[in-house]
Amino acid sequence: MSANNMNIHTGGDATILPNSNSSATSAMTITNMALILIPAIPLLKLIHSYLKWYNSPLWKIPGPSRKKKFWLFGEFFTILKEPFLAPVNRWWKEASRELTAMSITGTDSSRVSTQTNEEQYADMIHYSYLLGKHRVFIFNPDIVHKILSCPRALYASPTPRFLKGAGVDAIKEALGEYGLVQMDGKDWYRHRRIINPSFQTRLVRDCLNSVAPALVQRFVMHWRKGTRNFSDSCSGSSSSDEDADAKPRREIDVATHLSAITLDIIGLTALSCNFNAVDSIEHWSKQNQNQSRSETNDGNDDSDSDSDYIPPVSNAMVQAISVLLKPTAKRILFTVLGLGMLDRDSLVAKKILNKLVDQVIINAKESNCDGSGSGSG
């Protein structure tokens, strides 16, 4: 009996085993494809991010050129090295000068400005940040008003029309998530509506009338003293027969000076807390050109650095907030990795700030109970 005629019977169902060689080949093929595609996915995302960054219409807004910076870092290191908002103010001034020059020469430009007079000011500036993220700063008060008075439907919708951007994440990490500065969308609109009664015109006017006049008078006095000291030191004489127009003029950083008096006004009216920020303007007024000349002789090329120096506000609360908002490399790294609890400097500053805020609340309550409070409560 040949083997071809044999019938083989088993006690169960017959099972056909797959070809082991073909299965192994398929598995190896899938593995090889995965090894190729997995590293390619991040690379494709980076390429997409770069193309989106490079072709963004936001580059039409005045600001640093994309040709001078690498898209992965943008202006990160510039902002990290310089004082808070100093690069933004410098870019705005440069953009405004460029717009003014174009206005004078009649050059047609697509750069953003809504003003028609000869001297132009940029309404906004734009720059790129880490990983090709775009940031826009708005300076035109009409545009700011339009954004803040936007209809509720555009804020309360699942996709709000205006978002504050990634920069708010650092503020949330420093000061918490609940506040008008940190919130967006319907949460922002609801909180704004809740506190709106505290900012009635009559209340705000009464608070400002009790606080602002004395501060403004002191502020203007320091300006006059500072410019007079500068003029006398440069001329070497304070004789009355000298032509006043011939005396050198002292340039004032108006934004920084006004920020100091604004901080004091807000502190006294809203928090019943005196930050003593105008003290820094008093320090500025006592400096003169002779100080900067002596520094120049010592090898300092910036002859006006000392005469225009404004020291930081000495108030502990302001210093704690400054520490939390300072964009150090360590703090940024911890924030990106979600490891803020390891940033010892931030933890210490938060602890100090919490104690100071609690004390401000206690002082405000005691002041209101005594009937002597100047704040809005």
Side-chain angles (χ1 to χ4, degrees):
M1 195 168 54
S2 64
N4 293 334
N5 295 327
M6 291 180 61
N7 294 325
I8 301 175
H9 296 278
T10 62
D13 297 334
T15 302
I16 301 176
L17 298 177
N19 190 327
S20 59
N21 292 332
S22 62
S23 300
T25 303
S26 301
M28 291 180 61
T29 302
I30 295 174
T31 302
N32 292 335
M33 291 179 62
L35 293 175
I36 295 174
L37 292 177
I38 290 176
I41 292 175
L43 180 60
L44 292 175
K45 287 184 176 180
L46 289 176
I47 295 175
H48 176 265
S49 177
Y50 172 78
L51 294 176
K52 185 177 179 181
W53 169 84
Y54 187 86
N55 296 311
S56 173
L58 293 175
W59 290 111
K60 296 179 180 180
I61 302 175
S65 172
R66 63 188 171 192
K67 299 179 181 179
K68 298 180 180 180
K69 297 293 180 180
F70 182 46
W71 74 274
L72 191 60
F73 303 110
E75 301 294 338
F76 169 74
F77 292 107
T78 301
I79 296 174
L80 185 64
K81 294 177 182 177
E82 299 189 32
F84 182 62
L85 290 182
V88 175
N89 288 328
R90 185 178 71 252
W91 296 329
W92 176 76
K93 291 179 181 179
E94 292 173 352
S96 298
R97 286 195 294 266
E98 179 182 349
L99 288 170
T100 301
M102 290 180 177
S103 174
I104 295 175
T105 58
T107 304
D108 185 19
S109 173
S110 60
R111 310 293 264 184
V112 178
S113 176
T114 59
Q115 298 161 13
T116 57
N117 58 336
E118 183 174 303
E119 188 173 5
Q120 300 285 313
Y121 298 98
D123 295 334
M124 60 189 76
I125 63 103
H126 156 265
Y127 65 91
S128 65
Y129 205 59
L130 289 173
L131 299 177
K133 301 295 184 181
H134 296 274
R135 292 189 177 180
V136 176
F137 272 76
I138 299 175
F139 293 88
N140 187 299
D142 294 331
I143 299 178
V144 173
H145 179 267
K146 184 176 181 180
I147 294 174
L148 295 181
S149 60
C150 185
R152 178 188 175 187
L154 296 181
Y155 279 112
S157 64
T159 56
R161 182 175 182 181
F162 300 107
L163 292 174
K164 295 173 183 176
V168 180
D169 294 339
I171 300 178
K172 290 181 179 179
E173 182 68 26
L175 303 178
E177 298 184 2
Y178 302 104
L180 287 180
V181 176
Q182 300 94 307
M183 289 182 173
D184 265 319
K186 61 181 181 180
D187 292 333
W188 175 88
Y189 191 89
R190 181 167 58 87
H191 280 71
R192 179 191 174 200
R193 186 179 57 186
I194 291 173
I195 69 169
N196 193 56
S198 299
F199 294 92
Q200 295 180 16
T201 303
R202 180 183 58 82
L203 294 176
V204 174
R205 182 175 62 248
D206 292 343
C207 289
L208 290 177
N209 288 339
S210 64
V211 170
L215 282 174
V216 172
Q217 184 177 6
R218 183 184 172 202
F219 183 77
V220 173
M221 179 187 69
H222 292 323
W223 264 15
R224 290 174 176 172
K225 181 179 179 182
T227 53
R228 184 170 60 250
N229 288 345
F230 179 86
S231 178
D232 292 344
S233 63
C234 289
S235 62
S237 173
S238 59
S239 58
S240 58
D241 58 345
E242 185 176 359
D243 186 8
D245 294 334
K247 291 184 178 182
R249 304 287 184 176
R250 185 176 192 179
E251 183 175 345
I252 296 176
D253 185 353
V254 176
T256 303
H257 286 228
L258 292 182
S259 296
I261 188 173
T262 302
L263 181 61
D264 276 349
I265 292 175
I266 293 176
L268 289 170
T269 56
L271 304 175
S272 298
C273 178
N274 190 354
F275 294 126
N276 295 312
V278 178
D279 290 350
S280 61
I281 308 302
E282 181 179 4
H283 176 88
W284 167 87
S285 69
K286 294 179 179 179
Q287 300 177 93
N288 54 55
Q289 186 71 3
N290 290 333
Q291 292 176 327
S292 58
R293 286 176 177 173
S294 63
E295 293 294 335
T296 303
N297 294 333
D298 292 337
N300 185 0
D301 294 334
D302 188 1
S303 60
D304 291 331
S305 59
D306 282 353
S307 64
D308 291 330
Y309 172 72
I310 300 177
V313 178
S314 59
N315 181 269
M317 184 184 298
V318 176
Q319 290 180 346
I321 295 175
S322 299
V323 170
L324 291 172
L325 296 180
K326 186 176 181 180
T328 63
K330 180 179 69 173
R331 181 169 293 111
I332 292 173
L333 178 62
F334 283 142
T335 301
V336 172
L337 297 178
L339 301 175
M341 71 290 295
L342 300 180
D343 187 359
R344 184 178 179 277
D345 294 338
S346 295
L347 295 177
V348 172
K350 287 180 181 180
K351 186 175 181 180
I352 295 174
L353 184 60
N354 288 335
K355 290 182 178 180
L356 293 172
V357 171
D358 290 340
Q359 189 60 47
V360 167
I361 295 174
I362 293 173
N363 294 340
K365 289 181 178 179
E366 293 176 352
S367 178
N368 288 334
C369 290
D370 295 339
S372 58
S374 60
S376 61

